[in-house]
Amino acid sequence: MQRKDHSLLSPSLGSFKTLTSFHFGQAGVGQKIYIQASLHAEELPGMLAAHHLLRLLEAADTQGAIKGEIIVVPVANPIGLAQRLDHRSMGRFELGTSENFNRNFPDLATAVLPAVRGKLGANPADNTRLIRAAAAQHIAQWQPQTELESQRKILTGLAFDADVVLDLHCDFEAAVHLYTETPCWPVIEPLSHLLQAKAVLLALDSGGLSFDEAMSGPWWRLAKALEAEVPAGAIAQACASVTVELRGEGDVTHDLAKSDAQALFGYLQHLGVVAGTPPALPAAACEATPLAGSQTVNAPVPGVVAFAALPGQHLRVGDLVAEIIDPIQNTVYAARSEVDGVLFARICKRYVTAGEKLGNIAGKTPFRTGNLLGA
Ligand SMILES: [Zn+2]
């Protein structure tokens, strides 16, 4: 194992931050897998799971069982991790710009298209190499102007040429669920079995250039942009990327993190990047559903929230999700499910103002359009 410390651009006199990556195996040999945790810095289940995964990988490394390259970044957002306001963690948005740490990663398809146009042939492996080389060149000439951009550049530079990218997050209160782009699903599906995900949300460009889509998106985007110029199938989906939501912010325990690390390790064995017999795949705990079919349950009125439904609970149309109580007017608003599906996440606060989100239900039928991710 090799540890690398990457310096972020200094935003202010006397202030320096570092992002650390742990490298196993050998670059350029076999598959490359990239795993990061806590890009939203207050989402800590993945950080603890990464801690346990690092121990498993160290043991495998000692036995010579790493058959490709594996990079783990257990603390993907040192900027957000240090932000506090009114005694609370502020790890989702950069305080100076209000930018979400998991948005605005580079659009590598647009960046490399002029460089690869006219140079791609019929061989997908050759094309993958050429596209990755062009992306590497683009990233190398990227001159970040801010600390936040420099963090995005470091993470992009570590992950852009990986075959599989796992971005470990969590929701407020939630069951395990995954977000992935539809072309990635065949590669990601065994992970959903091993983690016993209760919802899998599929989309193609959900908007905002989140990290996972910035890694998987270039491949299907280039295939689409060049469909009239290269033979069908000549541009492979060379990166499968997924946002893994490891339950809720409070679900940070050794038991959960060890079992998640074991599932991730089993997935690496399944991919063949760690030697050894992979664990048998348990039956899936859910079907994949379109992100465009998930209902965001909103509160049209302000009040104190009393939830009736638990994370992971299957709801039918009309089932009560929560009551919102106004003790001044003595009114009770019933927020109900408008789709059949699993309540995969809900908020953790218990007072809402009008228009705030209460939770999300994974319905099967697409009905939403436009930007599918919240703030
Ligand atoms: Zn997150």
Side-chain angles (χ1 to χ4, degrees):
M1 185 196 69
Q2 197 191 351
R3 170 184 162 159
K4 292 185 188 172
D5 295 320
H6 313 263
S7 297
L8 272 62
L9 197 145
S10 169
S12 180
L13 301 176
S15 173
F16 299 95
K17 288 195 179 65
T18 304
L19 191 146
T20 301
S21 53
F22 295 91
H23 299 246
F24 298 87
Q26 210 182 324
V29 175
Q31 293 179 80
K32 174 176 173 178
I33 317 296
Y34 174 82
I35 303 169
Q36 71 177 24
S38 306
L39 178 56
H40 287 142
E42 76 276 51
E43 300 175 5
L44 300 170
M47 193 185 289
L48 191 57
H51 162 74
H52 288 292
L53 178 64
L54 284 169
R55 305 293 84 78
L56 294 172
L57 289 173
E58 278 175 331
D61 200 13
T62 310
Q63 293 159 12
I66 309 290
K67 299 299 173 198
E69 182 187 12
I70 303 169
I71 300 178
V72 180
V73 176
V75 181
N77 181 3
I79 304 171
L81 200 58
Q83 292 187 157
R84 316 266 311 165
L85 189 66
D86 294 342
H87 305 273
R88 294 166 68 180
S89 301
M90 289 286 146
R92 187 175 184 84
F93 302 96
E94 197 205 32
L95 287 178
T97 59
S98 299
E99 276 192 52
N100 188 322
F101 285 109
N102 191 22
R103 300 288 186 275
N104 303 321
F105 279 90
D107 174 359
L108 291 174
T110 302
V112 306
L113 182 60
V116 301
R117 178 163 252 154
K119 297 190 181 132
L120 301 174
N123 183 312
D126 289 346
N127 291 340
T128 295
R129 268 192 295 278
L130 209 137
I131 291 166
R132 283 180 175 159
Q137 219 165 26
H138 172 74
I139 295 164
Q141 58 75 43
W142 177 6
Q143 299 286 338
Q145 302 297 310
T146 66
E147 186 184 44
L148 175 57
E149 270 183 46
S150 74
Q151 179 168 285
R152 287 192 185 122
K153 176 176 173 173
I154 294 164
L155 297 174
T156 303
L158 287 166
F160 78 98
D161 57 351
D163 300 284
V164 177
V165 170
L166 310 182
D167 192 12
L168 309 182
H169 288 245
C170 72
D171 213 299
F172 296 113
E173 294 177 347
V176 174
H177 58 283
L178 312 179
Y179 295 93
T180 190
E181 291 199 294
T182 313
C184 306
W185 178 229
V187 175
I188 300 302
E189 186 172 5
L191 178 66
S192 86
H193 289 241
L194 289 162
L195 284 168
Q196 288 292 284
K198 300 295 186 288
V200 174
L201 293 312
L202 300 181
L204 199 61
D205 182 16
S206 47
L209 279 163
S210 61
F211 183 75
D212 78 300
E213 294 195 359
M215 298 303 117
S216 54
W219 301 98
W220 66 261
R221 284 175 194 278
L222 285 172
K224 197 172 156 196
L226 296 169
E227 78 191 326
E229 300 168 42
V230 299
I235 300 176
Q237 182 62 41
C239 174
S241 182
V242 59
T243 293
V244 181
E245 304 278 350
L246 292 172
R247 307 175 197 80
E249 286 181 1
D251 295 321
V252 184
T253 68
H254 279 306
D255 282 352
L256 288 171
K258 278 180 187 169
S259 94
D260 290 340
Q262 203 65 57
L264 295 172
F265 189 79
Y267 181 58
L268 297 174
Q269 289 183 308
H270 206 85
L271 291 169
V273 73
V274 174
T277 313
L281 283 189
C286 72
E287 279 175 56
T289 53
L291 181 56
S294 75
Q295 179 201 349
T296 302
V297 185
N298 283 312
V301 294
V304 57
V305 178
F307 274 108
L310 292 166
Q313 190 175 331
H314 196 279
L315 300 173
R316 315 281 305 183
V317 172
D319 282 354
L320 186 64
V321 175
E323 289 184 332
I324 303 164
I325 294 106
D326 174 348
I328 299 170
Q329 301 297 337
N330 190 24
T331 55
V332 176
Y333 174 84
R336 297 186 182 279
S337 178
E338 291 162 21
V339 296
D340 286 350
V342 170
L343 178 73
F344 59 88
R346 66 183 198 185
I347 57 171
C348 53
K349 59 190 175 180
R350 294 296 182 262
Y351 179 81
V352 286
T353 53
E356 276 196 90
K357 174 182 123 167
L358 292 164
N360 303 86
I361 304 169
K364 285 187 181 144
T365 313
F367 65 94
R368 295 196 293 143
T369 53
N371 193 331
L372 297 174
L373 299 177

